[in-house]
């Protein structure tokens, strides 16, 4: 399943909407996403499953890239 992760680049950074970045990651669950990103110093705001029409819409975005993290 594909997940969209909203995050700040530093875990010390206060969540400010204008600074929020996103990435896409293939994982089994939200917990799996968080485990895969644990080695990064991200401040993860929200993890959202992306499927159906929403996934199709996101795939049309030029910034859409699914990260491959083991």
């Amino acid at each position: 399943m594909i997940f969209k992760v909203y995050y700040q680049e530093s875990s010390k950074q206060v969540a400010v909407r204008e600074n929020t970045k996103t990435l896409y990651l293939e994982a089994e669950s939200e917990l799996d996403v968080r485990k895969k990103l644990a080695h990064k110093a991200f401040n993860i705001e929200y993890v959202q499953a992306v499927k159906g029409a929403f996934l199709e819409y996101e795939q049309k975005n030029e910034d859409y890239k699914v990260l491959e993290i083991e």
Side-chain angles (χ1 to χ4, degrees):
M1 178 176 279
I2 304 295
F3 289 87
K4 184 174 184 178
V5 180
Y6 297 84
Y7 69 97
Q8 305 291 316
E9 288 188 327
S10 171
S11 61
K12 296 177 183 177
Q13 195 173 4
V14 176
V16 176
R17 184 177 187 167
E18 291 79 16
N19 297 333
T20 299
K21 300 189 185 289
T22 60
L23 63 84
Y24 300 90
L25 187 65
E26 188 167 352
E28 297 293 319
S29 65
E30 180 180 339
L31 181 62
D32 191 29
V33 169
R34 291 180 182 277
K35 284 180 181 178
K36 288 182 176 186
L37 295 175
H39 69 284
K40 301 202 180 264
F42 289 163
N43 177 9
I44 298 173
E45 294 178 40
Y46 185 64
V47 178
Q48 178 180 24
V50 182
K51 55 187 171 186
F54 186 47
L55 177 58
E56 291 174 23
Y57 173 80
E58 292 291 335
Q59 288 172 331
K60 293 177 185 173
N61 185 344
E62 63 187 39
D63 296 330
Y64 178 82
K65 285 186 258 179
V66 177
L67 292 181
E68 304 243 347
I69 299 175
E70 297 296 321

